[in-house]
Amino acid sequence: MRDWDGTVLDPVTVDGYGLDSGVEDGARNRECMCEDQAECNAIRDRMDRAALPTATDLMHLLADSLGYTLTKR
């Protein structure tokens, strides 16, 4: 989330706490690729209870999954 000017991140986004979810009704499994509905539901239920990452955690998760290496300035 950016500030009103669109130039910097809103401080609440990078405050060290877990990010907020835009999903109001909990996790969904509409795009689940497994063939086993019970397994898919179990995964959804587990993810529904998981805490969302902080902005820093998310940055590292994305970098790792996309093959980037992060360095701090």
Side-chain angles (χ1 to χ4, degrees), residues 1-60:
M1 185 171 187
R2 297 208 177 259
D3 68 357
W4 288 107
D5 296 329
T7 55
V8 297
L9 288 177
D10 183 342
V12 175
T13 305
V14 292
D15 62 3
Y17 292 99
L19 297 170
D20 293 325
S21 173
V23 179
E24 295 180 13
D25 299 329
R28 300 182 185 124
N29 62 359
R30 278 184 255 165
E31 297 179 14
C32 185
M33 301 172 99
C34 68
E35 304 279 327
D36 183 347
Q37 189 63 43
E39 180 181 359
C40 193
N41 289 340
I43 292 168
R44 181 205 57 219
D45 292 343
R46 187 172 66 241
M47 295 312 298
D48 198 32
R49 292 186 303 274
L52 291 174
T54 66
T56 300
D57 293 339
L58 181 58
M59 177 182 60
H60 286 281

Side-chain angles (χ1 to χ4, degrees), residues 53-72:
T54 66
T56 300
D57 293 339
L58 181 58
M59 177 182 60
H60 286 281
L61 288 166
L62 288 169
D64 288 345
S65 67
L66 296 172
Y68 286 87
T69 300
L70 298 174
T71 56
K72 191 170 183 173

